[in-house]
Amino acid sequence: MNAISSRILEQNAAVRRVLPKYRSSRWTIADALKVRTDDPTTTMPVIDYNFPAMSNDVMIWDSGTLRDMHMRTVTYKGWFVLWSLAVDKIDKTNAKIYDEWHSRNDRAYIGYWYSADGVEWTWGGRLFQTSADLRPWEWSGSLVMREGTENTVDMFYTSVGAPDGNSVPAVCSGTIHADEKGVWFEGFSASTEMFKADGVHYANASEDAYFDFRDPQPFINPGDGELYTLFEGNVPGMRGQFVVGSDEMGHVPPGYVVDAGAKYGAAAIGIARCVSNWRKGNYSRWELMPALVTALGVNDQTERPHFVFKDGLTYLFTISHHSTYTGKSTGPDGVYGFVSEKGIFGPYKPLNSSGLVLGNPSSQPYSTYSHFVDAQGYVQSFIDTIPAAGQDAESPETYRIGGTLAPTVRLVLDGDRTFLTEVHDYAQVFAQAAWPASLAYDVRT
Ligand code: FRU
């Protein structure tokens, strides 16, 4: 290499190291005041108490389709593929399932399904070899075909269960294989940690005993061709010591008084940029950047954030709970969202004015969770609990536990508004591209 070309390479590297500058956008108390439960355009369909279960042997919850780095759902050799957080059913009697379901996070592992038609699914079992486990449990993430390869797959996930309470985004890689009978994976024998909560950009365990730091969702930014990841985080700072001021309140009505409990809501939608050679499959070094959206004073959890890129707009979706709203703010369990006209760094405004995109109906407040909106607007979620008709939704005596996927629904994304328009089969997946037809790099240099 001559001197001139090595200098150009150095300059390019320097340009890449300069991180974009932006301010975090806010989900304000005034936005959340606009949340309306049971609006038909932003409410999940009522789910039949007699819903079908995908398996008698495992219970599953957070799930995702095999996708590419541009957020498109892909098939592999004609097969549809899904990953799921799973636990094996130990005892199939109803009473026991209650304990098994509600303690599932402490036994979670990642498994996978495959299907010829995107409707009938076969359970493929565990994805990782036990040597890949850095900590006892595997939590949410994403299963992504590696750009420029025939069949290399990266599972970005959350490694959890350390005695110190830390959860760490990590990646484990392998290969996907298929024949006319089904799909299987090889490799997945070692994990690499991506980054940790630093207490500066995002809260860590010493600031907030309830801090969240998980659910990596990497993507190539259409704006600069670089690899970033979204994740769930919290605003840095000591829990309970935040001041909820006018920026966090937004345009509240006259006389609005912030409740003392509001300051316990400190959710943040996190982002980091990969600064190791990811084009060669090295995901070991990332730089944490300021949150894209914070919910200080409103809600303590914005989980599983992910993007849809459509019509030149950037849609940022995240899931949240009724129980994690703080102060006087309230809303249903479901998927919330924000939109930016200027690319991934915002500024963002809440979809539908309030942020609510799809909430559970008040007759079934815990029917579904962990919604994932794909690039075509199809939304998957899992069934949590469904009460018998007219019965108490909170009582295990009268609800049926899910542990399986809900009906897939479809959203129309129309500028800064969203509409529920279609209800499909339970667990139905629609693909957008066939791998490896789409394996070409789509990277601007
Ligand atoms: C969302 C979630 C994720 C986490 C997983 C654990 O449903 O809380 O944030 O990774 O579930 O089960």
Side-chain angles (χ1 to χ4, degrees), residues 1-11:
M1 188 187 305
N2 64 34
I4 293 178
S5 55
S6 77
R7 203 167 64 232
I8 289 172
L9 277 182
E10 272 168 33
Q11 280 167 357

Side-chain angles (χ1 to χ4, degrees), residues 301-369:
Q301 272 197 335
T302 45
E303 309 192 273
R304 241 194 136 183
H306 57 281
F307 277 129
V308 167
F309 304 111
K310 183 174 174 282
D311 302 335
L313 298 177
T314 304
Y315 290 91
L316 173 55
F317 295 101
T318 182
I319 52 172
S320 194
H321 284 293
H322 172 76
S323 62
T324 54
Y325 273 99
T326 57
K328 289 181 283 196
S329 300
T330 186
D333 278 27
V335 58
Y336 292 77
F338 305 85
V339 63
S340 157
E341 292 175 356
K342 298 204 176 130
I344 66 167
F345 299 107
Y348 284 93
K349 61 176 173 180
L351 287 165
N352 305 317
S353 299
S354 66
L356 179 62
V357 172
L358 279 176
N360 287 337
S362 54
S363 61
Q364 303 186 329
Y366 308 108
S367 54
T368 63
Y369 195 57

Side-chain angles (χ1 to χ4, degrees), residues 61-62 85 105 139-140 214-215 232 303 319 369-370 382:
W61 60 106
D62 288 37
L85 297 190
N105 284 323
W139 284 9
S140 256
R214 52 185 193 252
D215 305 352
E232 169 186 1
E303 309 192 273
I319 52 172
Y369 195 57
S370 212
F382 73 87

Side-chain angles (χ1 to χ4, degrees), residues 3 93 126 130 169 193 248 273 279 291 349 382 411 423 444:
T93 68
R126 194 178 271 274
T130 47
E193 293 191 346
E248 288 76 24
R273 180 153 98 178
R279 292 179 181 81
K349 61 176 173 180
F382 73 87
L411 290 175
V423 180
R444 291 179 215 165

